[in-house]
Amino acid sequence: MCDVLGRLYSAGVSRRKLLASFAVGATAVAATACSPGTDTAVAAPSPDRRFAPEPYRGQRTRLVLLGTSGGPPYWPGSEREGISSAVVVGDRYYLVDAGHGVMRRLRGAELGPNFDTDIDGPLDALGGIFLTHLHSDHVVDLNNILTEGIYNGLQHVEKIPVYGPGNRGVLPPLFGQGPAPEPVAPGNPTPGTREMTDLIVQAFATDFNDRLFDNRKPAPDALWEAFDVPVPAQYLADPNGNPCPDMEPFTFFEDDRVRVSATMVDHAPVFPALAYRFDSDDGSIVFSGDTGPTPNLVKLARGADVLVHEVIDPAWPESLFPEPRTDAQEGLYQHLVQSHTLIEDLGPIAQEAGVGTLVLSHMVPGNRPDSTWEGCGAGFDGRLVIGHDLDVVGVGAPA
């Protein structure tokens, strides 16, 4: 074993974590070699280094892909969990989206000092939750974090912020002809992040009160506080007519580790849909959220070290909905191809933004082989990473 790996292992970094940190997707693990006369670990060449993750080399700031599947289906033959990522800075991490399986993946990623204990981790190192939008595949396990979290480390942290988009304000337009359906929850049909989180507390009040009175656990308002991301009001004026107005990124959160900025992206009829940029002293990581191509994202990602971007294979919706289509089929087909980013569009976006590494996540469908996604690098001069669950990409200088 190389000396540097030996020292990390001796310092308490598990062998599994070291190996996972050098993962090349889910299909291979990059071998590690030592240059003669040095103690520096370098990744052995892969068949195409352009498609391999830059090995995590002990950087203080790193991206951890927790779940890389897009959409609500449980894709046949796929082991990808629902969409979620972590930005790790030192001994703290920030969660971006909370798709299916996020708690299991947090333990598998060995985040936090107590990831392998029964009740104290891994949420004891959580610094905040940031939701890109409120589609179910991005928020379905938020309730697990907020409820079961009190037995998985949440009780040991200071009150964490939960950020996400606010109330849409108006129902989306009806696609196609015919009478409009009756909306769900007509009194408040489009709640935002703060309201949604309050409603989770109401829905699980029986559980929360049992834990509060019988187990003497803290009340929810002592554990987290939910906020709607403060998008400037002028950009929220026309959800149906102009769901992604041209705008400049804005900063809305900062602590001693990260500064978080946002912009609106094009995932109509979802509104607002957000992309996030995390800047630490070591570098920057941008998350596209779900979006079609938009100049707003390019401005947010300008010069970033890492851009984590969604992608859809256009052959999939074409095979699902061949012409002629019904109104319902046409509505879903148009959403899939216009409100997501196609394989051929992704490389030019990353190139225009001038990012160093493009990481694919939220891949739809989630059960395609890596070869399906290699075309995402066309037109991009940087490194393309075809993401898999628990991949780690370091940012900045090695430790």
Side-chain angles (χ1 to χ4, degrees):
M1 177 183 289
C2 301
D3 290 344
V4 65
L5 293 182
R7 288 202 299 272
L8 285 170
Y9 188 59
S10 298
V13 181
S14 75
R15 187 181 195 88
R16 182 162 62 88
K17 185 170 185 178
L18 288 173
L19 292 175
S21 298
F22 283 81
V24 181
T27 57
V29 177
T32 304
C34 288
S35 301
T38 74
D39 61 359
T40 301
V42 297
S46 71
D48 190 340
R49 292 289 298 142
R50 191 160 174 267
F51 299 111
E54 181 70 25
Y56 164 57
R57 296 170 292 172
Q59 287 99 328
R60 192 180 75 112
T61 296
R62 58 196 185 271
L63 162 72
V64 180
L65 299 179
L66 298 171
T68 54
S69 178
Y74 298 90
W75 303 104
S78 173
E79 296 183 356
R80 299 180 187 274
E81 291 284 10
I83 185 66
S84 186
S85 302
V87 175
V88 184
V89 185
D91 58 0
R92 191 182 308 160
Y93 67 89
Y94 305 83
L95 194 63
V96 181
D97 287 327
H100 177 265
V102 62
M103 285 294 297
R104 184 179 300 279
R105 284 294 190 241
L106 283 170
R107 287 197 182 274
E110 301 184 357
L111 296 180
N114 296 304
F115 68 87
D116 56 350
T117 62
D118 289 338
I119 62 174
D120 288 331
L123 298 178
D124 54 331
L126 180 62
I129 301 172
F130 298 83
L131 306 174
T132 60
H133 65 288
L134 303 185
H135 264 160
S136 58
D137 56 320
H138 291 250
V139 302
V140 68
D141 269 11
L142 176 64
N143 66 299
N144 287 347
I145 294 172
L146 301 183
T147 56
E148 296 176 341
I150 58 175
Y151 291 98
N152 290 275
L154 196 61
Q155 72 273 25
H156 296 311
V157 301
E158 297 181 4
K159 184 185 292 189
I160 64 166
V162 179
Y163 277 100
N167 194 312
R168 193 180 197 279
V170 62
L171 285 165
L174 178 68
F175 188 91
Q177 303 299 314
E182 289 297 319
V184 175
N188 186 13
T190 59
T193 299
R194 181 184 57 79
E195 296 166 303
M196 179 186 70
T197 306
D198 289 345
L199 291 169
I200 288 174
V201 173
Q202 292 182 41
F204 287 90
T206 296
D207 179 79
F208 283 124
N209 281 317
D210 181 68
R211 309 308 181 189
L212 179 66
F213 282 82
D214 185 57
N215 305 159
R216 305 304 296 267
K217 293 294 184 181
D221 59 7
L223 298 173
W224 68 80
E225 185 172 3
F227 303 91
D228 296 334
V229 173
V231 178
Q234 66 265 33
Y235 303 118
L236 300 174
D238 194 3
N240 292 337
N242 190 14
C244 185
D246 184 69
M247 64 182 295
E248 295 299 318
F250 61 95
T251 299
F252 67 94
F253 175 84
E254 187 167 4
D255 64 9
D256 61 328
R257 304 291 177 91
V258 296
R259 181 175 66 254
V260 186
S261 305
T263 195
M264 291 171 62
V265 291
D266 190 2
H267 193 47
V270 174
F271 178 92
L274 301 173
Y276 295 125
R277 177 175 178 135
F278 289 75
D279 287 285
S280 76
D281 290 342
D282 308 301
S284 51
I285 303 172
V286 174
F287 297 87
S288 72
D290 282 11
T291 183
T294 168
N296 288 351
L297 179 65
V298 172
K299 287 186 280 189
L300 180 73
R302 187 79 68 192
D305 295 277
V306 176
L307 170 60
V308 186
H309 206 294
E310 66 116 271
V311 64
I312 187 171
D313 177 7
W316 179 68
E318 290 168 2
S319 69
L320 286 181
F321 306 115
E323 294 182 319
R325 306 181 186 102
T326 66
D327 282 349
Q329 291 172 334
E330 186 67 29
L332 181 52
Y333 175 79
Q334 292 299 332
H335 173 76
L336 290 171
V337 299
Q338 294 186 15
S339 297
H340 293 281
T341 302
L342 308 182
I343 290 173
E344 58 265 31
D345 294 331
L346 198 46
I349 292 171
Q351 185 72 11
E352 185 179 358
V355 302
T357 299
L358 172 61
V359 178
L360 306 184
S361 190
H362 194 280
M363 285 169 275
V364 177
N367 57 0
R368 293 296 189 264
D370 283 4
S371 57
T372 300
W373 311 112
E374 291 180 358
C376 294
F380 176 51
D381 293 339
R383 177 183 297 275
L384 174 67
V385 175
I386 300 170
H388 291 267
D389 294 13
L390 300 181
D391 275 354
V392 182
V393 179
V395 174

